[in-house]
Amino acid sequence: KSQFNKKYGQPQSQSNSINDISRLTGYKKAGLKTIFNKGIGAYKTNPQSVRPNVKSPEQWAYSRLYAAVNPKSKAYQVDKIHLKR
């Protein structure tokens, strides 16, 4: 989140909705929602991979979404097929 906020000129602690991320990045909401839902599914189906400080499926999903819109991340390589402008 902090890298995303820095890149797009947002306050460091600000959380962004899927609509906000879509507006700032130019990616369509449908693709972002798909990635978000993959994050929720990963949280629920693979709980041993979830870090102890993550408290909800939505928190895990937003982390995946922030990583997916960063072209330098591994998540971008996995999820870029869902990112359409």
Side-chain angles (χ1 to χ4, degrees), residues 67-68 70-81 83:
N70 178 357
K72 296 178 181 177
S73 73
K74 290 180 185 178
Y76 175 81
Q77 296 303 317
V78 172
D79 291 327
K80 66 183 176 185
I81 61 170
L83 297 174

Side-chain angles (χ1 to χ4, degrees), residues 9-32:
Q10 304 294 311
Q12 285 297 336
S13 61
Q14 178 177 324
S15 295
N16 297 285
S17 67
I18 293 174
N19 289 338
D20 294 335
I21 295 169
S22 175
R23 180 178 46 82
L24 291 167
T25 62
Y27 292 124
K28 292 183 180 180
K29 284 191 285 187
L32 297 176

